[in-house]
Amino acid sequence: MGHTATQQAGSGGLTATEHRLANGLRVVLSEDHLTPVAAVCLWYDVGSRHEVKGRTGLAHLFEHLMFQGSASVPGNGHFELVQGAGGSLNGTTSFERTNYFETMPAHQLELALWLEADRMGSLLTSLDDEGMENQRDVVKNERRQRYDNVPYGTAFEKMTALSYPEGHPYHHTPIGSMADLDAASLEDARSFFRTYYAPNNAVLSVVGDIDPGQALAWVEKYFGTIPSHDGKQPPRDGSLPDVIGEELREELREDVPARALMSAYRLPQDGTREADAADLALTVLGGGESSRLHNRLVRRDRSAVAAGFGLLRLAGAPSLGWLDVKASGGVEVADIETAVDEELARFAADGPTPEEMERAQAQLEREWLDRLATVAGRADELCRYTVLFGDPQLALSAVGRVLDITADEVQAVAAARLRPDNRAVLAYEPTGAAEADAASDGNGNENEQEEAGQ
Protein backbone atom coordinates (compact mmCIF):
# COMPACT_ATOMS: atom_id res chain seq x y z
CA MET A 1 0.00 0.00 0.00
CA GLY A 2 1.12 3.59 -0.41
CA HIS A 3 0.06 7.17 -0.85
CA THR A 4 0.82 9.84 -3.43
CA ALA A 5 3.66 12.30 -3.26
CA THR A 6 3.15 15.34 -1.08
CA GLN A 7 5.03 18.58 -1.65
CA GLN A 8 5.71 20.32 1.65
CA ALA A 9 5.87 24.07 2.08
CA GLY A 10 9.50 25.19 2.04
CA SER A 11 10.68 21.88 0.63
CA GLY A 12 11.93 23.34 -2.66
CA GLY A 13 9.60 21.06 -4.62
CA LEU A 14 10.90 17.84 -3.05
CA THR A 15 8.36 15.08 -2.59
CA ALA A 16 8.20 11.68 -0.93
CA THR A 17 5.86 8.72 -1.16
CA GLU A 18 5.49 6.08 1.52
CA HIS A 19 4.66 2.40 0.96
CA ARG A 20 4.52 -0.68 3.15
CA LEU A 21 5.21 -4.28 2.12
CA ALA A 22 3.14 -7.17 3.44
CA ASN A 23 6.01 -8.16 5.77
CA GLY A 24 5.95 -4.73 7.42
CA LEU A 25 8.90 -3.05 5.68
CA ARG A 26 8.24 0.67 5.31
CA VAL A 27 9.55 2.14 2.05
CA VAL A 28 9.98 5.83 1.26
CA LEU A 29 10.72 6.97 -2.32
CA SER A 30 11.82 10.45 -3.38
CA GLU A 31 12.34 11.11 -7.07
CA ASP A 32 14.98 13.67 -8.13
CA HIS A 33 16.53 13.68 -11.61
CA LEU A 34 19.01 16.51 -11.05
CA THR A 35 22.01 14.15 -11.08
CA PRO A 36 22.31 10.51 -12.26
CA VAL A 37 22.80 9.03 -8.80
CA ALA A 38 20.59 7.19 -6.32
CA ALA A 39 20.88 6.72 -2.58
CA VAL A 40 19.67 3.72 -0.60
CA CYS A 41 19.32 4.14 3.15
CA LEU A 42 18.13 1.48 5.58
CA TRP A 43 17.37 2.32 9.21
CA TYR A 44 16.79 -0.45 11.74
CA ASP A 45 14.88 0.64 14.83
CA VAL A 46 17.59 -0.55 17.22
CA GLY A 47 20.42 1.27 18.96
CA SER A 48 22.26 1.26 22.24
CA ARG A 49 19.08 2.22 24.14
CA HIS A 50 17.76 -1.29 23.43
CA GLU A 51 20.76 -2.96 25.12
CA VAL A 52 20.84 -4.29 28.65
CA LYS A 53 23.49 -4.13 31.34
CA GLY A 54 26.31 -6.56 30.62
CA ARG A 55 25.73 -6.52 26.87
CA THR A 56 26.51 -2.94 25.94
CA GLY A 57 28.00 -2.32 22.50
CA LEU A 58 26.08 -5.16 20.87
CA ALA A 59 24.18 -2.89 18.46
CA HIS A 60 27.42 -1.36 17.23
CA LEU A 61 29.19 -4.73 17.07
CA PHE A 62 26.37 -6.04 14.94
CA GLU A 63 26.68 -3.09 12.61
CA HIS A 64 30.18 -4.34 11.87
CA LEU A 65 29.00 -7.93 11.52
CA MET A 66 26.65 -6.79 8.75
CA PHE A 67 29.76 -6.09 6.65
CA GLN A 68 31.34 -9.46 7.43
CA GLY A 69 29.53 -11.31 4.66
CA SER A 70 26.16 -12.89 3.95
CA ALA A 71 24.98 -16.09 2.28
CA SER A 72 25.46 -14.82 -1.29
CA VAL A 73 28.19 -12.25 -0.65
CA PRO A 74 31.01 -13.68 1.47
CA GLY A 75 33.77 -11.78 3.23
CA ASN A 76 34.31 -8.19 2.13
CA GLY A 77 32.11 -8.64 -0.93
CA HIS A 78 29.58 -5.95 -0.02
CA PHE A 79 32.26 -3.26 -0.11
CA GLU A 80 33.88 -4.71 -3.23
CA LEU A 81 30.66 -4.86 -5.24
CA VAL A 82 29.48 -1.36 -4.31
CA GLN A 83 32.84 0.30 -4.81
CA GLY A 84 33.46 -1.69 -7.98
CA ALA A 85 30.20 -0.26 -9.35
CA GLY A 86 31.34 3.29 -8.60
CA GLY A 87 29.40 3.69 -5.36
CA SER A 88 30.13 4.46 -1.73
CA LEU A 89 28.75 2.93 1.45
CA ASN A 90 28.94 2.77 5.21
CA GLY A 91 26.96 2.21 8.38
CA THR A 92 26.63 3.91 11.77
CA THR A 93 25.14 3.19 15.18
CA SER A 94 23.58 5.66 17.62
CA PHE A 95 21.47 5.54 20.76
CA GLU A 96 18.26 5.21 18.74
CA ARG A 97 19.00 3.42 15.47
CA THR A 98 21.46 1.56 13.29
CA ASN A 99 21.67 2.59 9.64
CA TYR A 100 23.30 1.37 6.43
CA PHE A 101 23.59 3.36 3.24
CA GLU A 102 24.88 3.29 -0.33
CA THR A 103 25.14 6.05 -2.93
CA MET A 104 25.27 4.56 -6.43
CA PRO A 105 25.25 5.55 -10.09
CA ALA A 106 21.54 5.47 -10.88
CA HIS A 107 21.84 2.44 -13.15
CA GLN A 108 23.34 0.43 -10.25
CA LEU A 109 20.38 0.94 -7.90
CA GLU A 110 19.21 -2.66 -8.24
CA LEU A 111 22.59 -3.94 -7.01
CA ALA A 112 22.39 -1.87 -3.80
CA LEU A 113 18.85 -3.05 -3.08
CA TRP A 114 19.79 -6.69 -3.65
CA LEU A 115 22.82 -6.39 -1.35
CA GLU A 116 20.80 -4.89 1.50
CA ALA A 117 18.06 -7.47 1.10
CA ASP A 118 20.57 -10.32 0.95
CA ARG A 119 22.12 -9.51 4.29
CA MET A 120 18.77 -8.74 5.93
CA GLY A 121 17.46 -12.09 4.79
CA SER A 122 20.51 -14.35 5.01
CA LEU A 123 23.18 -12.96 7.33
CA LEU A 124 22.20 -15.39 10.08
CA THR A 125 23.21 -18.40 7.98
CA SER A 126 26.74 -17.06 7.45
CA LEU A 127 27.41 -15.75 10.96
CA ASP A 128 30.14 -17.87 12.59
CA ASP A 129 32.80 -17.72 15.28
CA GLU A 130 35.54 -16.56 12.90
CA GLY A 131 33.53 -13.57 11.72
CA MET A 132 32.48 -12.78 15.27
CA GLU A 133 36.05 -12.71 16.56
CA ASN A 134 37.24 -10.69 13.56
CA GLN A 135 34.71 -7.92 14.07
CA ARG A 136 34.99 -8.00 17.86
CA ASP A 137 38.68 -7.13 17.44
CA VAL A 138 37.82 -4.38 14.93
CA VAL A 139 35.37 -2.75 17.34
CA LYS A 140 37.76 -3.01 20.29
CA ASN A 141 40.45 -1.35 18.21
CA GLU A 142 37.97 1.36 17.20
CA ARG A 143 37.29 2.00 20.86
CA ARG A 144 41.02 2.38 21.54
CA GLN A 145 41.50 4.75 18.60
CA ARG A 146 38.43 6.95 19.09
CA TYR A 147 37.86 6.86 22.84
CA ASP A 148 40.59 5.48 25.05
CA ASN A 149 43.78 6.79 23.43
CA VAL A 150 42.91 10.33 22.33
CA PRO A 151 42.65 13.53 24.39
CA TYR A 152 39.14 14.05 25.82
CA GLY A 153 38.19 10.80 24.05
CA THR A 154 36.03 9.42 26.86
CA ALA A 155 34.28 12.76 27.55
CA PHE A 156 31.06 11.80 25.78
CA GLU A 157 30.97 8.44 27.56
CA LYS A 158 31.54 10.08 30.95
CA MET A 159 29.00 12.80 30.25
CA THR A 160 26.17 10.44 29.33
CA ALA A 161 26.91 8.36 32.42
CA LEU A 162 26.59 11.53 34.53
CA SER A 163 23.56 12.94 32.71
CA TYR A 164 21.45 9.77 32.67
CA PRO A 165 21.20 7.74 35.91
CA GLU A 166 22.33 4.15 36.32
CA GLY A 167 19.85 1.82 34.63
CA HIS A 168 18.61 4.48 32.20
CA PRO A 169 18.66 3.29 28.54
CA TYR A 170 20.91 6.22 27.55
CA HIS A 171 23.35 5.82 30.45
CA HIS A 172 25.91 4.12 28.17
CA THR A 173 27.13 5.05 24.68
CA PRO A 174 26.94 2.89 21.52
CA ILE A 175 30.62 1.91 21.62
CA GLY A 176 30.08 -0.25 24.74
CA SER A 177 32.67 -1.35 27.27
CA MET A 178 35.66 -3.59 26.62
CA ALA A 179 34.38 -6.09 29.17
CA ASP A 180 30.97 -6.33 27.51
CA LEU A 181 32.52 -6.65 24.05
CA ASP A 182 34.62 -9.55 25.34
CA ALA A 183 31.56 -11.15 26.94
CA ALA A 184 29.37 -11.05 23.82
CA SER A 185 28.85 -14.56 22.42
CA LEU A 186 27.95 -15.81 18.97
CA GLU A 187 24.52 -16.78 20.30
CA ASP A 188 24.06 -13.22 21.64
CA ALA A 189 24.69 -11.94 18.12
CA ARG A 190 22.34 -14.44 16.52
CA SER A 191 19.58 -13.63 19.00
CA PHE A 192 20.13 -9.92 18.37
CA PHE A 193 19.75 -10.41 14.62
CA ARG A 194 16.60 -12.50 14.96
CA THR A 195 15.03 -9.88 17.22
CA TYR A 196 15.88 -6.61 15.48
CA TYR A 197 16.96 -7.27 11.88
CA ALA A 198 13.50 -7.92 10.52
CA PRO A 199 11.66 -6.00 7.78
CA ASN A 200 8.92 -4.89 10.17
CA ASN A 201 11.60 -3.19 12.30
CA ALA A 202 13.14 -1.25 9.41
CA VAL A 203 12.61 1.70 7.08
CA LEU A 204 14.11 1.76 3.58
CA SER A 205 14.42 5.02 1.65
CA VAL A 206 15.44 5.32 -2.00
CA VAL A 207 16.21 8.83 -3.26
CA GLY A 208 17.49 10.27 -6.51
CA ASP A 209 17.35 9.57 -10.23
CA ILE A 210 14.88 6.71 -9.96
CA ASP A 211 11.76 5.38 -11.60
CA PRO A 212 9.54 4.97 -8.51
CA GLY A 213 7.54 2.12 -10.03
CA GLN A 214 10.67 0.19 -10.97
CA ALA A 215 12.34 0.92 -7.62
CA LEU A 216 9.30 -0.32 -5.71
CA ALA A 217 9.15 -3.44 -7.89
CA TRP A 218 12.80 -4.23 -7.05
CA VAL A 219 12.13 -3.64 -3.35
CA GLU A 220 9.18 -6.03 -3.48
CA LYS A 221 11.24 -8.59 -5.42
CA TYR A 222 14.22 -8.66 -3.07
CA PHE A 223 12.71 -7.74 0.33
CA GLY A 224 9.17 -9.03 -0.02
CA THR A 225 9.91 -12.67 0.82
CA ILE A 226 11.87 -11.92 4.02
CA PRO A 227 9.69 -12.95 6.97
CA SER A 228 8.72 -10.50 9.68
CA HIS A 229 9.51 -11.11 13.34
CA ASP A 230 7.44 -10.11 16.36
CA GLY A 231 9.88 -10.78 19.20
CA LYS A 232 11.07 -7.23 19.73
CA GLN A 233 10.37 -5.59 23.07
CA PRO A 234 9.89 -1.80 23.21
CA PRO A 235 12.85 0.17 24.55
CA ARG A 236 12.87 0.96 28.23
CA ASP A 237 11.26 4.24 29.28
CA GLY A 238 13.72 7.10 28.85
CA SER A 239 11.66 9.87 30.43
CA LEU A 240 13.17 11.98 33.23
CA PRO A 241 12.20 15.15 35.11
CA ASP A 242 12.69 18.37 33.14
CA VAL A 243 15.48 19.52 35.48
CA ILE A 244 18.19 17.40 37.12
CA GLY A 245 17.83 19.32 40.38
CA GLU A 246 21.53 19.66 41.14
CA GLU A 247 24.85 20.09 39.41
CA LEU A 248 26.56 16.76 38.77
CA ARG A 249 30.30 17.21 38.50
CA GLU A 250 33.47 15.24 37.82
CA GLU A 251 36.96 16.72 38.09
CA LEU A 252 39.45 14.99 35.79
CA ARG A 253 43.25 15.07 35.74
CA GLU A 254 44.31 13.59 32.41
CA ASP A 255 47.01 13.86 29.78
CA VAL A 256 45.15 16.44 27.67
CA PRO A 257 46.49 19.48 25.80
CA ALA A 258 44.53 22.13 27.72
CA ARG A 259 42.15 22.77 30.56
CA ALA A 260 38.59 22.25 29.40
CA LEU A 261 35.06 22.81 30.60
CA MET A 262 32.36 20.52 29.23
CA SER A 263 28.78 20.70 30.40
CA ALA A 264 25.60 18.88 29.37
CA TYR A 265 22.22 20.48 30.09
CA ARG A 266 19.01 18.43 30.14
CA LEU A 267 16.78 19.79 27.33
CA PRO A 268 13.44 18.88 25.70
CA GLN A 269 13.04 15.75 23.61
CA ASP A 270 13.34 15.95 19.84
CA GLY A 271 10.15 16.40 17.87
CA THR A 272 8.79 19.22 20.06
CA ARG A 273 8.59 22.99 19.66
CA GLU A 274 10.62 23.26 22.85
CA ALA A 275 13.47 21.26 21.27
CA ASP A 276 13.49 23.61 18.27
CA ALA A 277 13.51 26.60 20.63
CA ALA A 278 16.43 25.05 22.55
CA ASP A 279 18.32 24.51 19.29
CA LEU A 280 17.93 28.21 18.47
CA ALA A 281 19.04 29.21 21.98
CA LEU A 282 22.22 27.14 21.75
CA THR A 283 22.91 28.47 18.25
CA VAL A 284 22.75 32.06 19.52
CA LEU A 285 24.89 31.21 22.52
CA GLY A 286 27.50 28.92 20.97
CA GLY A 287 26.85 28.18 17.30
CA GLY A 288 29.91 29.52 15.51
CA GLU A 289 32.16 32.56 15.62
CA SER A 290 29.31 35.08 15.80
CA SER A 291 27.85 33.46 18.93
CA ARG A 292 27.77 35.09 22.35
CA LEU A 293 30.13 32.63 24.04
CA HIS A 294 32.70 32.81 21.25
CA ASN A 295 32.61 36.60 21.34
CA ARG A 296 32.91 36.69 25.13
CA LEU A 297 35.45 33.92 25.78
CA VAL A 298 37.57 33.80 22.63
CA ARG A 299 37.45 37.33 21.23
CA ARG A 300 36.93 39.60 24.23
CA ASP A 301 38.34 37.84 27.29
CA ARG A 302 40.77 35.61 25.36
CA SER A 303 40.27 33.07 28.11
CA ALA A 304 39.49 30.27 25.63
CA VAL A 305 40.77 29.07 22.28
CA ALA A 306 37.45 27.45 21.35
CA ALA A 307 33.89 27.66 22.65
CA GLY A 308 30.86 25.86 21.25
CA PHE A 309 27.34 24.96 22.37
CA GLY A 310 25.22 22.47 20.40
CA LEU A 311 22.18 20.24 20.75
CA LEU A 312 22.27 16.45 20.74
CA ARG A 313 18.66 15.73 19.73
CA LEU A 314 17.16 12.60 21.23
CA ALA A 315 13.63 11.32 20.64
CA GLY A 316 13.39 8.72 23.40
CA ALA A 317 14.93 10.71 26.26
CA PRO A 318 15.72 14.31 27.15
CA SER A 319 18.09 15.88 24.65
CA LEU A 320 21.48 17.22 25.74
CA GLY A 321 22.80 20.73 25.28
CA TRP A 322 26.55 20.17 24.98
CA LEU A 323 28.91 23.01 25.99
CA ASP A 324 32.59 22.57 25.10
CA VAL A 325 35.21 25.19 26.01
CA LYS A 326 38.98 24.74 25.70
CA ALA A 327 40.91 27.17 27.91
CA SER A 328 43.77 29.43 26.93
CA GLY A 329 47.09 28.86 28.67
CA GLY A 330 47.03 29.78 32.36
CA VAL A 331 43.26 30.35 32.56
CA GLU A 332 41.44 28.42 35.26
CA VAL A 333 38.28 26.43 34.54
CA ALA A 334 36.51 28.30 37.35
CA ASP A 335 37.06 31.63 35.57
CA ILE A 336 35.56 30.25 32.36
CA GLU A 337 32.63 28.78 34.25
CA THR A 338 31.89 32.16 35.87
CA ALA A 339 31.87 33.88 32.48
CA VAL A 340 29.63 31.18 30.95
CA ASP A 341 27.13 31.48 33.81
CA GLU A 342 27.06 35.25 33.39
CA GLU A 343 26.23 34.91 29.70
CA LEU A 344 23.56 32.27 30.33
CA ALA A 345 21.94 34.40 33.04
CA ARG A 346 21.94 37.46 30.79
CA PHE A 347 20.38 35.46 27.95
CA ALA A 348 17.71 34.02 30.27
CA ALA A 349 16.85 37.51 31.49
CA ASP A 350 16.83 39.37 28.16
CA GLY A 351 16.44 36.71 25.47
CA PRO A 352 17.87 36.96 21.95
CA THR A 353 17.92 40.16 19.94
CA PRO A 354 15.99 40.28 16.64
CA GLU A 355 19.30 40.13 14.78
CA GLU A 356 20.40 37.05 16.75
CA MET A 357 17.09 35.31 16.05
CA GLU A 358 17.36 36.02 12.34
CA ARG A 359 20.95 34.79 12.21
CA ALA A 360 20.25 31.63 14.23
CA GLN A 361 17.20 30.71 12.16
CA ALA A 362 19.14 31.29 8.96
CA GLN A 363 21.97 29.09 10.27
CA LEU A 364 19.62 26.20 11.12
CA GLU A 365 17.83 26.64 7.78
CA ARG A 366 21.15 26.39 5.94
CA GLU A 367 22.07 23.24 7.86
CA TRP A 368 18.68 21.72 6.95
CA LEU A 369 19.16 22.64 3.29
CA ASP A 370 22.64 21.11 3.36
CA ARG A 371 21.21 17.81 4.61
CA LEU A 372 18.51 17.72 1.95
CA ALA A 373 20.78 18.94 -0.86
CA THR A 374 22.35 15.51 -1.44
CA VAL A 375 20.45 12.34 -2.20
CA ALA A 376 22.25 10.56 0.64
CA GLY A 377 21.42 13.28 3.16
CA ARG A 378 17.79 13.35 2.07
CA ALA A 379 17.50 9.56 2.26
CA ASP A 380 18.85 9.65 5.81
CA GLU A 381 16.45 12.40 6.89
CA LEU A 382 13.46 10.55 5.43
CA CYS A 383 14.43 7.42 7.35
CA ARG A 384 15.00 9.39 10.53
CA TYR A 385 11.58 11.01 10.60
CA THR A 386 9.87 7.76 9.66
CA VAL A 387 11.58 5.65 12.34
CA LEU A 388 11.52 8.19 15.17
CA PHE A 389 8.30 10.10 14.46
CA GLY A 390 6.33 7.89 12.08
CA ASP A 391 6.08 10.38 9.20
CA PRO A 392 8.68 10.95 6.44
CA GLN A 393 6.91 14.14 5.35
CA LEU A 394 8.18 15.83 8.51
CA ALA A 395 11.68 15.77 6.99
CA LEU A 396 10.54 18.05 4.19
CA SER A 397 8.86 20.58 6.48
CA ALA A 398 11.30 20.68 9.41
CA VAL A 399 12.68 24.13 8.63
CA GLY A 400 9.22 25.67 8.72
CA ARG A 401 8.84 24.60 12.33
CA VAL A 402 12.18 26.19 13.27
CA LEU A 403 11.29 29.46 11.51
CA ASP A 404 7.98 29.53 13.39
CA ILE A 405 9.65 29.68 16.82
CA THR A 406 9.48 33.05 18.58
CA ALA A 407 12.10 34.90 20.61
CA ASP A 408 9.91 34.51 23.70
CA GLU A 409 9.96 30.71 23.32
CA VAL A 410 13.76 30.75 22.99
CA GLN A 411 14.11 32.89 26.10
CA ALA A 412 11.66 30.70 28.03
CA VAL A 413 13.50 27.43 27.36
CA ALA A 414 16.83 29.05 28.22
CA ALA A 415 15.51 30.40 31.51
CA ALA A 416 13.94 27.06 32.42
CA ARG A 417 16.78 24.75 31.43
CA LEU A 418 20.17 26.49 31.10
CA ARG A 419 20.74 26.65 34.84
CA PRO A 420 23.50 25.40 37.14
CA ASP A 421 21.13 22.89 38.79
CA ASN A 422 20.37 21.27 35.44
CA ARG A 423 23.77 20.24 34.19
CA ALA A 424 26.47 17.62 34.32
CA VAL A 425 30.01 19.01 34.26
CA LEU A 426 33.42 17.65 33.31
CA ALA A 427 36.35 19.87 34.31
CA TYR A 428 39.68 18.81 32.76
CA GLU A 429 43.03 19.63 34.34
CA PRO A 430 46.16 18.64 32.33
CA THR A 431 48.84 16.48 33.94
CA GLY A 432 52.58 16.11 33.34
CA ALA A 433 53.93 17.27 30.00
CA ALA A 434 50.47 18.25 28.81
CA GLU A 435 50.21 20.70 31.72
CA ALA A 436 53.38 22.48 30.60
CA ASP A 437 52.12 22.64 27.02
CA ALA A 438 48.79 24.03 28.20
CA ALA A 439 50.54 26.76 30.15
CA SER A 440 52.47 27.82 27.05
CA ASP A 441 49.81 27.72 24.31
CA GLY A 442 46.56 26.10 25.44
CA ASN A 443 45.79 24.49 22.11
CA GLY A 444 43.03 21.88 22.40
CA ASN A 445 41.67 19.10 20.24
CA GLU A 446 37.96 19.03 19.39
CA ASN A 447 36.64 15.49 19.63
CA GLU A 448 32.91 14.87 19.31
CA GLN A 449 31.53 11.35 19.51
CA GLU A 450 27.83 10.89 19.11
CA GLU A 451 27.93 7.66 17.19
CA ALA A 452 30.37 5.01 16.07
CA GLY A 453 30.72 3.97 12.44
CA GLN A 454 32.02 1.13 10.31
Side-chain angles (χ1 to χ4, degrees):
M1 64 179 183
H3 60 70
T4 55
T6 303
Q7 181 174 323
Q8 297 290 328
S11 67
L14 300 177
T15 62
T17 60
E18 185 179 4
H19 313 266
R20 189 183 291 266
L21 302 191
N23 60 9
L25 179 67
R26 289 172 290 178
V27 183
V28 183
L29 305 178
S30 181
E31 191 176 0
D32 179 359
H33 301 289
L34 188 62
T35 55
V37 294
V40 171
C41 185
L42 187 59
W43 273 43
Y44 290 93
D45 187 8
V46 57
S48 58
R49 67 171 173 163
H50 295 85
E51 298 166 350
V52 297
K53 187 174 182 179
R55 288 296 180 269
T56 65
L58 197 54
H60 178 226
L61 174 60
F62 208 90
E63 173 218 317
H64 283 260
L65 289 171
M66 285 284 277
F67 291 95
Q68 182 64 33
S70 56
S72 302
V73 186
N76 202 41
H78 197 114
F79 274 97
E80 293 169 355
L81 287 169
V82 170
Q83 293 171 343
S88 60
L89 72 161
N90 215 324
T92 67
T93 310
S94 76
F95 290 105
E96 300 181 325
R97 59 95 183 104
T98 309
N99 70 338
Y100 304 89
F101 46 92
E102 294 88 7
T103 301
M104 306 289 284
H107 68 281
Q108 296 286 1
L109 171 61
E110 185 179 10
L111 172 62
L113 292 171
W114 173 75
L115 285 168
E116 287 295 356
D118 184 63
R119 60 182 174 182
M120 178 192 281
S122 71
L123 187 89
L124 196 59
T125 63
S126 63
L127 195 57
D128 58 21
D129 285 313
E130 182 181 358
M132 182 78 174
E133 292 309 312
N134 178 283
Q135 292 306 314
R136 190 201 312 270
D137 289 343
V138 170
V139 173
K140 289 170 66 176
N141 192 51
E142 180 180 328
R143 181 183 169 90
R144 295 184 190 99
Q145 291 180 333
R146 295 187 179 185
Y147 284 71
D148 297 336
N149 297 331
V150 294
Y152 317 107
T154 58
F156 186 59
E157 190 172 46
K158 292 178 184 296
M159 191 69 85
T160 56
L162 270 180
S163 301
Y164 302 106
E166 182 74 36
H168 190 273
Y170 292 71
H171 180 72
H172 69 278
T173 57
I175 194 68
S177 72
M178 283 292 196
D180 287 356
L181 289 170
D182 283 334
S185 67
L186 181 61
E187 186 47 45
D188 288 332
R190 287 173 171 164
S191 176
F192 191 89
F193 181 86
R194 284 190 292 265
T195 301
Y196 296 109
Y197 279 72
N200 54 317
N201 194 48
V203 170
L204 172 71
S205 65
V206 185
V207 176
D209 188 17
I210 64 172
D211 176 334
Q214 178 63 78
L216 191 59
W218 282 331
V219 171
E220 181 68 60
K221 176 181 178 181
Y222 296 121
F223 289 88
T225 59
I226 302 173
S228 61
H229 181 71
D230 297 324
K232 176 188 173 183
Q233 297 297 313
R236 288 167 291 142
D237 182 18
S239 61
L240 291 168
D242 287 350
V243 175
I244 296 172
E246 62 177 321
E247 181 183 85
L248 306 172
R249 191 178 191 91
E250 188 172 347
E251 306 282 343
L252 301 165
R253 290 185 61 83
E254 293 187 4
D255 186 12
V256 294
R259 293 187 179 103
L261 171 69
M262 300 184 192
S263 301
Y265 293 79
R266 186 179 291 177
L267 293 175
Q269 289 181 219
D270 195 13
T272 63
R273 284 184 68 90
E274 292 79 10
D276 290 335
D279 207 352
L280 286 165
L282 301 192
T283 302
V284 172
L285 287 164
E289 295 185 359
S290 63
S291 67
R292 290 195 182 193
L293 290 175
H294 185 90
N295 282 328
R296 168 71 184 270
L297 299 172
V298 179
R299 288 182 174 171
R300 197 193 86 178
D301 296 354
R302 297 187 178 180
S303 59
V305 295
F309 209 173
L311 182 64
L312 171 58
R313 288 178 175 262
L314 296 171
S319 301
L320 288 183
W322 182 281
L323 172 72
D324 188 350
V325 183
K326 301 300 192 306
S328 298
V331 177
E332 299 289 338
V333 168
D335 296 330
I336 290 175
E337 200 160 14
T338 297
V340 167
D341 284 344
E342 289 174 0
E343 291 301 318
L344 296 186
R346 184 164 68 90
F347 189 79
D350 302 333
T353 66
E355 293 78 11
E356 287 175 325
M357 276 294 291
E358 182 179 6
R359 185 166 57 243
Q361 287 176 319
Q363 186 171 331
L364 294 185
E365 181 178 22
R366 177 187 56 77
E367 292 171 1
W368 175 79
L369 290 169
D370 285 345
R371 291 193 296 273
L372 265 63
T374 66
V375 293
R378 197 179 321 148
D380 193 60
E381 288 293 291
L382 290 169
C383 279
R384 172 175 174 252
Y385 279 94
T386 307
V387 169
L388 298 181
F389 306 110
D391 185 1
Q393 305 299 334
L394 293 173
L396 305 181
S397 60
V399 72
R401 294 187 292 279
V402 171
L403 299 179
D404 190 49
I405 300 297
T406 66
D408 287 343
E409 289 176 286
V410 173
Q411 181 181 358
V413 76
R417 301 296 192 101
L418 301 181
R419 327 177 339 193
D421 66 344
N422 188 38
R423 68 187 176 198
V425 177
L426 299 179
Y428 280 88
E429 184 72 22
T431 60
E435 189 170 11
D437 292 342
S440 63
D441 60 35
N443 290 327
N445 177 35
E446 296 293 331
N447 184 37
E448 295 181 2
Q449 286 148 357
E450 174 187 343
E451 57 191 31
Q454 166 74 13

